[in-house]
């Protein structure tokens, strides 16, 4: 019924209890999950989960906030993208939220890293998983610039765990991206985000947990897990005034279309 389009199952709190996580998914009718990579050092563990389970897939990339880790090259990302069950490039993007005394100009290393991911995604024709925080103008500008250069189609993908304005959502949609909502949409002070969740076209909408973070109401303060995407889906369905089953079907179909996957029935 549901798909968790973005989760981190190698992180503390989930990595040592995958069997329990999967059992909870089955109970909540969460059929599939995309396990997200945040460093090259982490990739083999992420990939092993995807290969071991028929309803997991994974990405390859380096999160913009991670420092002191191996920098990805285009060639290395392309090599990882060829591995079985790797369906996306990322998590990538820009994050200026914690500059730690630095200026935006000092974050050129993030922008260079982002460009490497975009170029890899364009070359292998796999979608980007975009993280943007306090950096939406630069994120959109770089996507536009890279999309206008060289042969081949512009990059597509998803703006995950969306927390930006409706204006940013429109710009992302205009570039061909999907918008994914997490448990934040259930938070009491997230009315502006709920308006965006009502606005995004149904055929461009995804839902996620971003586990182990951002557990939705009524689980705030607890370790998030893919099973809880059902609560995100129910909240978004209520916002849009539509049956939960229809929202689940639409977001699952969007997941399949974006990540080029066939419909799967999991026993």
């Amino acid at each position: 019924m549901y798909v968790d389009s973005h989760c981190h199952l190698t992180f503390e709190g989930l990595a040592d209890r995958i069997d329990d996580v999967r059992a909870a998914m089955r109970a909540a009718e969460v059929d599939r999950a995309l396990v997200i990579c945040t460093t090259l050092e982490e990739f083999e563990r992420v990939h092993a989960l995807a290969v071991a389970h028929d309803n997991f897939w994974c990405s390859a990339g380096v999160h913009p906030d991670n420092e002191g880790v191996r920098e990805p090259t285009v060639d290395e990302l392309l090599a990882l993208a060829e591995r079985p069950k790797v369906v996306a490039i990322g998590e990538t993007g820009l994050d200026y939220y914690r500059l730690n005394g630095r200026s935006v100009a000092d974050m050129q290393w993030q922008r260079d890293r982002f460009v490497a991911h975009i170029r890899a995604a364009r070359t292998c024709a796999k979608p980007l998983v975009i993280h943007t925080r306090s950096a939406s103008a630069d994120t959109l500008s770089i996507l536009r610039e890279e999309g206008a250069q060289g042969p081949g189609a512009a990059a597509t993908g998803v703006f995950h765990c969306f927390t930006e304005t409706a204006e940013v959502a429109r710009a992302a949609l205009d570039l061909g991206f999907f918008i994914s909502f997490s448990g934040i949409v259930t938070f009491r002070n997230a009315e502006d985000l709920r308006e965006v969740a009502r606005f995004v076209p149904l055929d461009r909408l995804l839902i996620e947990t971003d586990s182990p973070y951002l557990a939705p109401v009524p689980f705030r303060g607890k370790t998030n897990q893919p099973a809880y995407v059902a609560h995100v889906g129910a909240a978004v369905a209520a916002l849009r005034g539509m049956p939960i089953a229809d929202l689940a079907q639409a977001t699952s179909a969007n997941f399949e279309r974006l990540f080029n996957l066939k419909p799967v029935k999991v026993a």
Side-chain angles (χ1 to χ4, degrees), residues 55-117:
N55 60 336
F56 286 172
W57 291 264
C58 72
S59 68
V62 181
H63 191 288
D65 230 6
N66 283 331
E67 300 186 56
V69 297
R70 280 168 51 204
E71 280 298 325
T73 65
V74 173
D75 287 345
E76 186 164 16
L77 291 170
L78 289 173
L80 296 179
E82 290 295 315
R83 302 274 289 272
K85 302 199 78 175
V86 177
V87 298
I89 299 296
E91 170 174 2
T92 184
L94 300 174
D95 193 323
Y96 299 160
Y97 183 70
R98 295 183 183 89
L99 293 175
N100 295 323
R102 295 170 292 191
S103 69
V104 168
D106 294 329
M107 308 305 284
Q108 185 60 42
W109 60 273
Q110 273 197 9
R111 294 185 285 275
D112 292 342
R113 181 187 288 178
F114 186 25
V115 167
H117 284 78

Side-chain angles (χ1 to χ4, degrees), residues 31-246:
D31 298 331
R32 289 163 287 176
L34 179 59
V35 186
I36 300 298
C37 179
T38 61
T39 66
L40 296 179
E41 291 87 346
E42 176 197 25
F43 174 80
E44 293 299 340
R45 288 180 291 133
V46 170
H47 187 248
L49 279 173
V51 171
H53 303 291
D54 62 357
N55 60 336
F56 286 172
W57 291 264
C58 72
S59 68
V62 181
H63 191 288
D65 230 6
N66 283 331
E67 300 186 56
V69 297
R70 280 168 51 204
E71 280 298 325
T73 65
V74 173
D75 287 345
E76 186 164 16
L77 291 170
L78 289 173
L80 296 179
E82 290 295 315
R83 302 274 289 272
K85 302 199 78 175
V86 177
V87 298
I89 299 296
E91 170 174 2
T92 184
L94 300 174
D95 193 323
Y96 299 160
Y97 183 70
R98 295 183 183 89
L99 293 175
N100 295 323
R102 295 170 292 191
S103 69
V104 168
D106 294 329
M107 308 305 284
Q108 185 60 42
W109 60 273
Q110 273 197 9
R111 294 185 285 275
D112 292 342
R113 181 187 288 178
F114 186 25
V115 167
H117 284 78
I118 296 169
R119 292 179 180 176
R122 292 185 65 190
T123 300
C124 69
K126 291 188 176 179
L128 288 160
V129 177
I130 301 288
H131 168 109
T132 184
R133 190 177 190 193
S134 302
S136 58
D138 278 1
T139 300
L140 292 165
S141 175
I142 291 171
L143 286 169
R144 292 187 186 106
E145 289 169 5
E146 287 297 311
Q149 294 183 27
T156 60
V158 55
F159 275 58
H160 104 91
C161 193
F162 194 82
T163 56
E164 303 290 337
T165 64
E167 181 182 9
V168 173
R170 288 188 184 93
L173 292 165
D174 287 346
L175 287 171
F177 282 77
F178 288 63
I179 305 291
S180 181
F181 295 94
S182 71
I184 294 174
V185 79
T186 71
F187 295 179
R188 182 175 56 84
N189 61 349
E191 186 54 43
D192 289 346
L193 184 62
R194 285 189 279 275
E195 285 299 321
V196 180
R198 295 182 184 103
F199 153 74
V200 171
L202 184 60
D203 65 352
R204 304 281 285 284
L205 189 151
L206 293 172
I207 53 176
E208 64 174 270
T209 60
D210 204 12
S211 304
Y213 309 115
L214 303 173
V217 174
F219 302 104
R220 285 204 69 180
K222 298 182 178 180
T223 299
N224 204 359
Q225 60 178 309
Y228 295 168
V229 80
H231 294 270
V232 180
V236 174
L239 288 171
R240 299 174 70 94
M242 62 186 295
I244 291 172
D246 290 353

